[in-house]
Amino acid sequence: RPLDVAISITSLAIISLPEFVIGSLLILLLFSWLNALPPVALLGPGESPVSHLRLLVLPVLTLLGATLAASVRMTRAGMIQALRAEFAEMARLNGFPERRVVWRHALRNALAPSVQVFAQNLQYLIGGVIVVEYLFGYPGLGKELVDSVAIRDVRAVQSIALLISVAVVGLNLIADLLVVLLVPRLRAPAR
């Protein structure tokens, strides 16, 4: 279908762009041309970023563009594979409507690899947030890490790296548990 082709081409184009290019293009479009959003996040000390939601739009759009496209492609590929599988064909032959085949049988099996990709994207975001925070001047762990490296503050760099590694390991654990919950055959004892 034309919509499927458009989504595939758009997501492939976005996947190929690094975050700083996506962020720069968003700044060009939404600040330079449309004058809609500020290009940097200038927050005073002690100010909450939630009180200035306009400052969050460009960084969030940049991070979403970098990761959402890969998730869309993976979910689409998983659904195509699951709908062609034997269990989906058997459900159709048993007379189940296509809607039930898609939602009840194929989606659970298609989401299993997608959960791993979502976890990988979240891990990528943890590293990618460093680039985005520095690009938009947003005060956060990423900017703190870059500043700590610049002034050679080893303890701060080690602390931030430890926080990032704990988050990555935790995301992997949660993703593995979700896959086991989603796919019934992974919970069954081995024969």
Side-chain angles (χ1 to χ4, degrees):
R1 295 183 181 161
L3 179 63
D4 185 43
V5 172
I7 290 172
S8 295
I9 291 173
T10 304
S11 62
L12 183 63
I14 292 173
I15 288 172
S16 65
L17 298 173
E19 290 146 338
F20 66 90
V21 173
I22 294 172
S24 299
L25 289 173
L26 286 172
I27 289 172
L28 179 68
L29 175 69
L30 295 173
F31 173 70
S32 296
W33 292 349
L34 300 176
N35 199 18
L37 295 169
V40 292
L42 298 174
L43 289 174
E47 280 189 272
S48 171
V50 180
S51 63
H52 304 286
L53 290 177
R54 286 178 46 119
L55 299 177
L56 291 174
V57 174
L58 283 176
V60 167
L61 284 177
T62 302
L63 291 172
L64 277 176
T67 58
L68 191 62
S71 299
V72 166
R73 289 187 64 80
M74 186 63 187
T75 304
R76 178 187 172 276
M79 277 302 290
I80 289 172
Q81 184 179 4
L83 287 171
R84 292 180 182 163
E86 291 178 5
F87 62 85
E89 191 63 34
M90 185 60 70
R92 286 186 192 104
L93 290 173
N94 283 331
F96 291 124
E98 188 66 21
R99 181 181 202 97
R100 184 169 179 192
V101 172
V102 169
W103 286 102
R104 179 104 190 240
H105 299 284
L107 188 62
R108 286 183 72 150
N109 288 288
L111 284 181
S114 298
V115 167
Q116 295 291 341
V117 170
F118 293 144
Q120 185 179 13
N121 284 340
L122 288 174
Q123 294 165 8
Y124 177 74
L125 280 177
I126 292 171
V129 77
I130 296 168
V131 174
V132 172
E133 283 180 4
Y134 197 74
L135 177 68
F136 292 106
Y138 194 80
L141 275 181
K143 190 163 181 348
E144 181 68 28
L145 180 63
V146 171
D147 292 343
S148 298
V149 168
I151 62 171
R152 293 184 173 89
D153 186 358
V154 176
R155 288 190 179 170
V157 171
Q158 288 174 337
S159 300
I160 295 170
L162 182 65
L163 283 172
I164 290 171
S165 62
V166 166
V168 167
V169 169
L171 284 170
N172 275 332
L173 180 64
I174 290 169
D176 288 343
L177 291 173
L178 281 174
V179 168
V180 169
L181 288 174
L182 279 174
V183 181
R185 65 176 173 236
L186 293 178
R187 293 189 305 266
R191 294 180 190 188

